[in-house]
Amino acid sequence: MNYRVLVINPGSTSTKIAVFENEHCLIERTIRHKTEELDTYSNIIEQYQFRKDVILEALDYEGFNISKLDAVCGRGGLLKPIEGGTYEVNEAMLHDLKEGFYGEHASNLGGILAYEIASNVNVPSYIVDPVVVDELEDIARFSGVPQLPRRSIFHALNQKAVARRAAEALDKPYEDTRLIVCHMGGGITVGAHEKGKVVDVNNGLNGEGPFSPERAGTVPAGQLVDLCFSSVYTKEQIHKMLVGKGGLVAYLETNDAKEVEERVEQGDEQAKAVYEAMAYQIAKEIGSISTVLKGNMDAIVLTGGLAYGESFVKEITERIDWIADVLTFPGENELEALAEGTIRVLNGKEQPKLYRSMPNRKEF
């Protein structure tokens, strides 16, 4: 049976949408939003009606009748920690998205927009694998400081989708595989996937793991404390130093990996050293997390925008291919992942999960 699904991925300055018929993309649009348009709203949630209108206008322009939809799926936002899967949007989820339980982010609009558009045509609405997917084993939550438990915030949507593709390539169900999946984009996260669960992963947003195009990753804690109390930088400047202006931006004043590769080819020794260091740190993180699976895994999977760089992938692979075979799935594939998660529910391969407002997890 063919299912038509509208998927919505709100970003800070754009809204990406696509209509899929099963695995085939019928329509794909990236709607750019002018700064002056967004500046009229005091917070992201207030942008809801504006974004809904531009989505419906774009679909109308494409000649697509939303009454032909079987479901609508939005990018999951900053919700309370939940296990991976496809969730039907409900009142508890809408409340937490609007309240911004873990913070305000454009992705919070995803579930809200999906629900409102779906309700208009009487079809279900879903989210799939938001960034707050938390399947960590309890042992992975310890940090060494009780007040600072490790948290699960990572590229769950793409990691889970790519892990399923890797499992299919290995001719095994995802729930029966043991994989290391490394998402390499503006942020970099490396997850240990064991039988369908991400049992350990670095928090690529708040300062763990390799440095990336925009993020500092793990930094020497003592030196960071000294920096914070040096009276030279504000709290906001320190945060920017770690997320937004860290990594490649800090060393090379660009977050564009293609530009860095061009500079390397032109003989820029600083660019070469920094790029190789980023690959080195990614390989080291993969090697470290391989101990979680006791070295027993089906494959290591590289994905994300940086996986398009052949020399970069080669640099990493040469350091890790002794651990396990390396599979590469370039790109972030977020729209496809949203559609795939929804269609698995529509065709009965999975049951939708129920989101509840859950109490805080135990802090170790």
Side-chain angles (χ1 to χ4, degrees):
M1 184 173 176
N2 291 334
Y3 295 101
R4 289 190 173 185
V5 178
L6 167 65
V7 296
I8 304 168
N9 184 3
S12 57
T13 59
S14 68
T15 304
K16 297 179 181 178
I17 64 170
V19 176
F20 284 82
E21 185 169 81
N22 291 353
E23 73 276 12
H24 301 295
C25 184
L26 304 178
I27 299 168
E28 183 173 350
R29 288 279 303 274
T30 297
I31 306 166
R32 307 285 180 188
H33 308 306
K34 295 179 181 179
T35 304
E36 53 267 29
E37 290 177 319
L38 300 181
D39 284 347
T40 61
Y41 303 98
S42 60
N43 59 54
I44 286 172
I45 296 303
E46 286 186 3
Q47 298 174 17
Y48 147 72
Q49 188 64 49
F50 163 73
R51 299 226 193 190
K52 177 183 175 182
D53 290 343
V54 297
I55 290 169
L56 295 177
E57 286 170 10
L59 292 173
D60 186 58
Y61 178 83
E62 296 288 344
F64 184 80
N65 186 339
I66 63 171
S67 68
K68 303 296 183 182
L69 291 171
D70 296 289
V72 184
C73 182
R75 178 74 185 270
L78 299 179
L79 294 161
K80 297 183 179 182
I82 55 177
E83 66 177 3
T86 299
Y87 288 76
E88 188 161 3
V89 180
N90 60 15
E91 290 298 328
M93 183 185 296
L94 290 171
H95 174 268
D96 285 359
L97 289 172
K98 292 173 182 177
E99 290 296 317
F101 182 82
Y102 265 161
E104 190 175 276
H105 190 272
S107 61
N108 289 12
L109 289 167
I112 300 170
L113 290 166
Y115 178 82
E116 292 294 335
I117 293 173
S119 296
N120 287 344
V121 290
N122 198 31
V123 297
S125 55
Y126 302 98
I127 66 165
V128 179
D129 291 327
V131 295
V132 294
V133 165
D134 185 346
E135 299 166 339
L136 298 187
E137 294 183 337
D138 285 345
I139 197 170
R141 300 185 188 280
F142 289 85
S143 72
V145 179
Q147 296 92 334
L148 303 174
R150 296 185 65 242
R151 300 189 186 280
S152 179
I153 301 177
F154 71 111
H155 303 91
L157 182 61
N158 190 43
Q159 279 215 26
K160 288 274 191 176
V162 167
R164 289 181 181 279
R165 289 170 199 160
E168 186 177 349
L170 295 166
D171 198 26
K172 297 180 71 172
Y174 170 52
E175 291 73 19
D176 292 340
T177 58
R178 295 161 64 88
L179 303 165
I180 291 175
V181 180
C182 177
H183 176 103
M184 306 181 296
I188 295 172
T189 54
V190 183
H193 295 238
E194 184 172 25
K195 297 187 175 181
K197 303 288 185 184
V198 183
V199 296
D200 201 350
V201 65
N202 66 296
N203 183 334
L205 178 62
N206 292 330
E208 285 187 327
F211 73 79
S212 76
E214 299 177 347
R215 300 173 191 174
T218 301
V219 297
Q223 292 169 244
L224 178 61
V225 171
D226 291 341
L227 208 61
C228 290
F229 288 90
S230 67
S231 300
V232 176
Y233 304 98
T234 65
K235 178 180 177 180
E236 290 71 24
Q237 287 173 324
I238 293 288
H239 274 295
K240 270 294 183 185
M241 196 180 296
L242 298 177
V243 180
K245 293 187 176 181
L248 294 187
V249 174
Y251 286 108
L252 303 174
E253 298 183 346
T254 182
N255 63 358
D256 188 339
K258 289 183 180 179
E259 179 185 330
V260 175
E261 288 179 349
E262 290 171 1
R263 287 163 63 172
V264 171
E265 291 173 2
Q266 293 165 5
D268 185 328
E269 290 299 322
Q270 172 71 354
K272 183 175 186 291
V274 172
Y275 211 43
E276 288 181 354
M278 187 165 69
Y280 170 85
Q281 288 200 1
I282 292 170
K284 189 166 71 169
E285 186 74 15
I286 291 170
S288 174
I289 207 162
S290 70
T291 63
V292 173
L293 301 178
K294 300 178 181 178
N296 175 21
M297 64 206 72
D298 297 290
I300 298 168
V301 185
L302 304 180
T303 184
L306 293 179
Y308 284 112
E310 293 182 11
S311 62
F312 189 70
V313 167
K314 182 180 178 183
E315 191 78 27
I316 298 168
T317 301
E318 288 176 347
R319 293 183 180 275
I320 62 171
D321 59 2
W322 60 274
I323 303 173
D325 290 339
V326 179
L327 306 177
T328 305
F329 296 85
E332 299 193 353
N333 310 301
E334 292 172 336
L335 297 176
E336 294 90 339
L338 292 172
E340 289 166 2
T342 304
I343 290 167
R344 285 196 300 272
V345 166
L346 294 177
N347 64 22
K349 290 184 178 180
E350 286 184 15
Q351 291 298 311
K353 295 183 177 179
L354 175 65
Y355 179 82
R356 294 186 177 91
S357 293
M358 295 180 284
N360 292 334
R361 291 176 178 273
K362 178 182 177 181
E363 308 289 15
F364 290 90

